[in-house]
């Protein structure tokens, strides 16, 4: 059974369009879902045929009338997921295929599997949709973050088990939650403080100022107190190595450790060590007070505190404004009552219409409306406008040029010799040297057909084009025509003719 996509998540996925296909905008997400949820439990290898059948049977977007996906389109989407996004991994494996005759054959084919980045992408996109409920600022999370930092500094966990790695991961998660909550508080305070400053809400401003002084500022001071400990962890030479070793501790369930894959374990160790070093460097940058660190840090604690100080300042100004304003409510009420009793006899005079005295020379002050009734009328003089009629004699002289005629037969012969692999198949996978401009131009025009699905406008030397696609491994190629500079193609391609 296919998993249904909630409408907010669908809107986000359509905005990102993973897979870069306008006809199947949700294909990238559905392929990740199949590989994550159904691939290992189906008992079938995750080949291209399996993914296409599973997608067309259960994952088509029937609301938007999505058509069944073809193998060629699915292959291009998988190229984006593997090579560009890194969310899927492809490997050549031997699989058993059951033929219609009942026989079983062994065949080598490409198998697809979701990577750790793909798993995190599936979880992360859902968290983005639910961010309005999950991103919060609270003091208990800050206390938990401070406790984990102190535990790492005290070396309470060793690297024999995964406890040290788990503590470090929990500390990073708590740090990210705290910073996201502080940024949300930063944005909310800026908007709320400006609103209170203009509306002068005395009671609301008092509650907000109390919350800032009693909760926000002490919480900020707790965060700032961890700066020295973070710098200390960054200075420990073997801390990243110990965390990476702890990830592969005695209770680790990674398959590389189970089968003794030394190369895989070493690669995982080096990636984790670089990850720990990078994360500690970013955290250290957030707690550094230099101007360069503040400009280059995504979560500078000093910029956040500046918003808190500005909010307290704005609220103080609102208090002063409310305190200085004194209104006699009784006298104001009596005046309003008197106006309401005589509102039907009130006369509202119409403003005097503005005149145009700027072109009158006999007026001393043209802005004085008291003299408007005695001013002379404005006199406008019509100007004659001549229209010039152009004739053939006004046309510029043309230079006689003789357009060169291309030798189509020589270009066709060179085209066949260089790129044709068969009567109906063309392959461009290496640099080419041309002697005729027409052959070079036709080949470049044919490459532009890789971005289209209809090829009626790309006929080559009278031959109708059936299909054009880029090579699976795009490598830039160079084309050269004698007497000209080199031209570049972004990638090789192949084409089939009718």
């Amino acid at each position: 059974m296919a998993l249904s996509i909630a409408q907010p998540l669908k809107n986000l996925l359509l905005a990102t369009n993973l897979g870069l296909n306008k006809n199947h905008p949700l294909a990238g997400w559905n392929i990740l879902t199949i590989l994550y949820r159904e691939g290992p439990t189906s008992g079938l290898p995750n080949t291209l045929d399996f993914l296409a059948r599973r997608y067309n049977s259960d994952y088509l977007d029937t609301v938007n009338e999505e058509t069944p996906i073809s193998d060629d389109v699915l292959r291009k989407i998988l190229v984006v997921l593997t090579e560009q996004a890194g969310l899927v991994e492809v490997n050549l494996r031997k699989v058993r295929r059951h033929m219609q005759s009942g026989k079983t054959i062994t065949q080598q084919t490409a198998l697809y599997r979701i990577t750790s980045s793909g798993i995190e992408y599936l979880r992360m996109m859902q968290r983005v949709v639910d961010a309005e409920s999950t991103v919060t600022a609270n003091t208990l999370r800050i206390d938990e973050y401070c406790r984990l930092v102190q535990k790492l500094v005290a070396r309470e966990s060793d690297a024999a088990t995964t406890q040290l790695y788990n503590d470090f991961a929990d500390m990073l998660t708590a740090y990210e939650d705290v910073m996201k909550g502080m940024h949300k508080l930063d944005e909310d305070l800026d908007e709320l403080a400006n609103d209170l400053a203009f509306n002068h809400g005395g009671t609301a401003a008092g509650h907000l100022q109390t919350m800032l002084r009693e909760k926000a500022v002490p919480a900020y001071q707790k965060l700032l107190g961890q700066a020295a400990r973070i710098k200390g962890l960054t200075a420990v030479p073997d801390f990243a190595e110990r965390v990476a070793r702890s990830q592969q501790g005695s209770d680790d369930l990674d398959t590389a450790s189970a089968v003794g894959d030394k190369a895989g374990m070493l690669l995982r160790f080096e990636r984790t060590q670089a990850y720990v070093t990078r994360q500690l460097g970013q955290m250290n940058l957030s707690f550094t007070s230099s101007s360069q660190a503040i400009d280059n840090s995504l979560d500078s604690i000093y910029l956040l505190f500046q918003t808190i100080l500005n909010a307290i300042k704005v609220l103080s100004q609102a208090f002063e404004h409310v305190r200085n304003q004194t209104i006699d409510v009784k006298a104001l009420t009596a005046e309003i009552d008197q106006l309401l009793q005589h509102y039907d006899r009130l006369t509202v005079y119409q403003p005097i219409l503005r005149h145009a005295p700027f072109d009158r020379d006999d007026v001393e002050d043209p802005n004085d409306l008291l003299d408007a009734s005695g001013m002379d009328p404005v006199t406008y003089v019509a100007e004659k406008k001549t229209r010039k009629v152009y004739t053939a004699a006004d046309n510029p002289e043309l230079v006689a040029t003789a357009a060169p005629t291309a030798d189509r037969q020589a270009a066709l012969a060179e085209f066949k010799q260089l790129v044709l692999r068969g009567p109906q198949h063309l392959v461009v996978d290496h640099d080419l040297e041309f002697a005729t401009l027409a052959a070079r131009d036709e080949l470049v025009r044919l490459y532009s057909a890789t971005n289209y699905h209809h090829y009626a406008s790309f006929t080559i030397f009278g031959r109708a084009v059936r299909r054009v696609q880029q090579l699976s491994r795009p490598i830039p190629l160079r084309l050269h025509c004698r007497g000209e500079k080199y031209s570049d193609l972004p990638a090789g391609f192949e084409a089939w003719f009718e």
Side-chain angles (χ1 to χ4, degrees), residues 48-105:
L48 182 69
D49 296 338
F50 167 76
L51 294 177
R53 290 196 306 271
R54 195 73 184 92
Y55 185 93
N56 290 328
S57 62
D58 291 329
Y59 286 87
L60 287 179
D61 190 2
T62 57
V63 177
N64 296 322
E65 299 180 354
E66 182 183 4
T67 59
I69 194 169
S70 64
D71 291 348
D72 293 335
V73 174
L74 181 58
R75 188 178 290 108
K76 293 180 181 179
I77 294 174
L78 286 170
V79 168
V80 176
L81 294 177
T82 54
E83 298 181 4
Q84 184 175 350
L87 304 178
V88 176
E89 185 179 57
V90 58
N91 294 301
L92 292 177
R93 294 288 187 271
K94 291 183 178 180
V95 298
R96 292 184 178 88
R97 288 186 177 273
H98 300 282
M99 309 299 292
Q100 293 182 353
S101 61
K103 295 182 179 180
T104 302
I105 63 173

Side-chain angles (χ1 to χ4, degrees), residues 135 145 172-184 186-187 220 223-224 279 281-289 292-305:
V135 177
Y145 162 72
L172 284 182
T173 304
Y175 167 77
E176 292 175 357
D177 290 346
V178 168
M179 285 302 174
K180 287 187 294 187
M182 294 297 286
H183 275 288
K184 184 176 184 301
D186 182 29
E187 298 296 335
Y220 169 82
L223 285 177
L224 195 59
Q279 293 296 328
Q282 293 177 359
M283 291 179 62
N284 187 24
L285 202 64
S286 300
F287 291 95
T288 303
S289 59
Q292 182 179 3
I294 293 175
D295 293 338
N296 297 328
S297 175
L298 182 65
D299 299 313
S300 178
I301 193 67
Y302 297 96
L303 290 180
L304 298 177
F305 187 62

Side-chain angles (χ1 to χ4, degrees), residues 93 106-107 166 187 192 211 235 261 280 287 312 318 335 385 411 417 431 442 457:
R93 294 288 187 271
T106 303
Q107 183 180 10
N166 293 336
E187 298 296 335
L192 184 58
M211 187 269 286
D261 184 5
L280 282 178
F287 291 95
I312 295 176
E335 186 175 354
K385 184 177 181 181
Q417 179 183 359
D431 298 344
E442 291 292 329
S457 301

Side-chain angles (χ1 to χ4, degrees), residues 394-497:
D394 297 317
N395 292 332
E397 296 182 1
L398 299 178
V399 179
T401 58
T405 59
D407 189 355
R408 301 290 292 180
Q409 295 298 328
L412 177 60
E414 184 181 26
F415 190 86
K416 292 180 178 179
Q417 179 183 359
L418 290 179
V419 297
L420 281 185
R421 296 289 178 86
Q424 297 177 338
H425 188 206
L426 172 149
V427 178
V428 179
D429 57 358
H430 61 281
D431 298 344
L432 297 175
E433 179 80 21
F434 290 92
T436 59
L437 287 173
R440 193 272 310 275
D441 294 343
E442 291 292 329
L443 186 67
V444 173
R445 189 170 67 88
L446 183 59
Y447 170 77
S448 62
T450 56
N451 295 321
Y452 295 86
H453 298 290
H454 303 282
Y455 309 105
S457 301
F458 296 96
T459 303
I460 302 297
F461 294 106
R463 294 288 301 275
V465 179
R466 185 174 44 150
R467 184 162 60 93
V468 182
Q469 69 178 21
Q470 284 191 2
L471 298 180
S472 58
R473 295 181 59 84
I475 301 176
L477 304 179
R478 306 195 74 186
L479 309 180
H480 182 249
C481 192
R482 296 175 186 174
E484 293 188 345
K485 296 182 180 179
Y486 282 91
S487 303
D488 294 328
L489 277 184
F493 66 98
E494 55 183 338
W496 291 266
F497 303 100

Side-chain angles (χ1 to χ4, degrees), residues 187-199:
E187 298 296 335
D188 293 344
L189 278 180
D190 183 64
E191 181 179 358
L192 184 58
N194 285 329
D195 182 64
L196 290 176
F198 285 105
N199 296 330

Side-chain angles (χ1 to χ4, degrees), residues 7 10 13 106 120 127-128 155 204 212 219 227 229 234 248 264 266 273 276 289 306 365 377 412 418 454:
Q7 190 60 40
K10 181 181 289 188
L13 295 175
T106 303
E120 186 65 22
R127 289 199 299 270
V128 172
R155 294 199 173 203
L212 291 177
R229 294 186 175 90
T234 308
Q248 304 180 22
L266 180 60
Q273 187 175 4
V276 174
S289 59
Q306 186 63 39
D365 186 6
L412 177 60
L418 290 179
H454 303 282

